[in-house]
Amino acid sequence: MGQKSATIQTNVSVSGMTCGHCVSAVSEEIEALDGVKSVAIDLNAGGISTVTITSTQELSPSEIGEAVAEAGYLVVANDA
C-alpha cells in the first residue's frame, strides 16, 4: 500500500510561445494531465522555450504533445 513518492522530471522544447499568456496556457493544459505536480517554463520569446514537467508517473511524449497542441503550440523536442 506504500505510494511511490519519487517524482519524474521531463523536459520538452516548445516553439511559438511569446508571452506570459502563452506560458499560462501551456502550463494549464499540461497540469491537467494525470500525475503532473508542477510545470516550469523557461520562456524564450519567439524561439524555443524549455518546459520542465514534474510528475509522479511517466508521461508519454504523445500526451505531452497533445496537451501543448491543445494550447496552440508545438513540441519540437522531447526527452520523455
Side-chain angles (χ1 to χ4, degrees):
M1 285 276 230
Q3 188 168 353
K4 251 181 19 179
S5 60
T7 56
I8 299 168
Q9 250 190 356
T10 306
N11 292 311
V12 295
S13 297
V14 176
S15 68
M17 294 193 294
T18 58
C19 64
H21 178 265
C22 303
V23 169
S24 295
V26 170
S27 295
E28 189 176 304
E29 291 296 335
I30 294 173
E31 286 169 352
L33 297 174
D34 283 344
V36 173
K37 293 175 76 77
S38 67
V39 177
I41 298 178
D42 181 15
L43 179 65
N44 179 7
I48 305 300
S49 301
T50 302
V51 179
T52 303
I53 306 162
T54 304
S55 59
T56 56
Q57 64 191 40
E58 186 118 5
L59 301 170
S60 75
S62 63
E63 67 183 330
I64 294 169
E66 286 171 20
V68 171
E70 186 69 32
Y73 305 95
L74 180 67
V75 172
V76 293
N78 189 334
D79 76 358

